[in-house]
Amino acid sequence: EIVLTQSPATLSLSPGETAALSCRASQSVNTYLAWYQQKPGLSPRLLIYDASHRATGVPARFSGSGSGTDFTLTITSLEPEDFAVYYCQHRANGLTFGGGTKVE
Amino acid sequence: QITLKESGPSRVKPTQTLTLTCTFSGFALTARPVGVGWIRQPPGEALEWLGFIYWDDDKRYSPSLRSRLTITKDTSKNQVVLTMTNMDPVDTGTYYCARRLPYDGDWGSGYFDFWGQGTLVTVSS
């Protein structure tokens, strides 16, 4: 099973700042990686799939990069509604989620 | 507009079988490459994929839970049903159904583009 490790566990930032979230895979997942946003009490929302493709309706301030084992979700100019937990998920040889990063 | 909604018991006893229903609208589980998946989330913890069912009745399960899971569909009702046997307190959590982002291939995996609101299941005697 491929393990996804997200860091940091918590990221403390202010509105207007840029967030960089990391997801590292225990073995290569090519570009088969997605990012989700989850707010308290709500279901996850797909932001990015296949490492860098924004899902429908996702603002351009969300961008994904990386390949192989190292991936980054960047949120430029944080809006108040961006403070949430973010999960990465791979689809290479199975499917697992990372442990999440809380942006506060 | 695509929507999904989970329904079922909020509480089950240890060793009992859990049955949850996902009722969806806005898409049909009758054409390639449509699929619906189940995901769960223990309180305060990360997400865990459980399984998929596809338009052609192909099913894929998480290797760690395969022996306890069954997923079926009723296309006439736009419903997918998850059954999990031998429930334990560690199975407590919110259970979600979600549409698999439609694309061909890699049927044992995928992404989730539309999610239900989730249903909290507590396993306790």
Side-chain angles (χ1 to χ4, degrees):
Chain A
E1 179 181 281
I2 297 174
V3 176
L4 298 179
T5 302
Q6 292 187 241
S7 61
T10 303
L11 196 52
S12 298
L13 294 168
S14 299
E17 293 189 303
T18 294
L21 286 66
S22 173
C23 179
R24 180 162 292 176
S26 59
Q27 62 189 81
S28 176
V29 297
N30 200 325
T31 57
Y32 300 142
L33 191 103
W35 292 93
Y36 297 85
Q37 176 194 67
Q38 187 176 31
K39 297 179 181 179
L42 298 181
S43 51
R45 172 196 180 194
L46 179 65
L47 299 174
I48 302 286
Y49 65 95
D50 284 349
S52 61
H53 294 81
R54 266 190 302 276
T56 303
V58 175
R61 64 180 181 273
F62 291 91
S63 63
S65 63
S67 66
T69 60
D70 290 295
F71 299 86
T72 301
L73 174 69
T74 302
I75 313 170
T76 56
S77 190
L78 280 162
E79 297 285 341
E81 61 267 27
D82 299 336
F83 292 87
V85 178
Y86 293 83
Y87 293 98
C88 58
Q89 176 234 314
H90 81 85
R91 68 168 182 91
N93 190 24
L95 187 167
T96 56
F97 292 88
T101 289
K102 182 179 182 180
V103 178
E104 65 173 25
Chain B
Q1 181 189 6
I2 292 175
T3 65
L4 303 97
K5 187 174 183 179
E6 306 84 355
S7 59
S10 60
R11 184 178 295 271
V12 298
K13 291 179 167 42
T15 75
Q16 287 187 335
T17 295
L18 171 69
T19 300
L20 295 176
T21 300
C22 173
T23 303
F24 58 88
S25 63
F27 68 96
L29 192 47
T30 54
R32 185 185 186 112
V34 181
V36 171
W38 285 93
I39 307 99
R40 70 177 180 179
Q41 185 173 35
E45 297 187 26
L47 300 155
E48 180 183 19
W49 169 66
L50 302 179
F52 286 114
I53 189 166
Y54 291 99
W55 82 98
D56 61 355
D57 212 35
D58 186 18
K59 298 148 192 176
R60 305 296 175 101
Y61 299 106
S62 165
S64 62
L65 293 167
R66 178 179 288 123
S67 63
R68 299 173 55 204
L69 296 174
T70 303
I71 301 176
T72 60
K73 63 180 174 66
D74 184 335
T75 53
S76 67
K77 296 181 180 178
N78 278 355
Q79 290 181 334
V80 170
V81 176
L82 172 76
T83 302
M84 180 179 286
T85 61
N86 194 23
M87 294 292 284
D88 183 272
V90 300
D91 297 314
T92 293
T94 298
Y95 286 71
Y96 298 98
C97 62
R99 191 184 78 158
R100 179 183 182 266
L101 182 71
Y103 66 90
D104 252 5
D106 278 340
W107 305 113
S109 189
Y111 306 125
F112 304 97
D113 60 350
F114 289 91
W115 294 64
Q117 63 188 27
T119 186
L120 176 62
V121 177
T122 301
V123 185
S124 172
S125 54

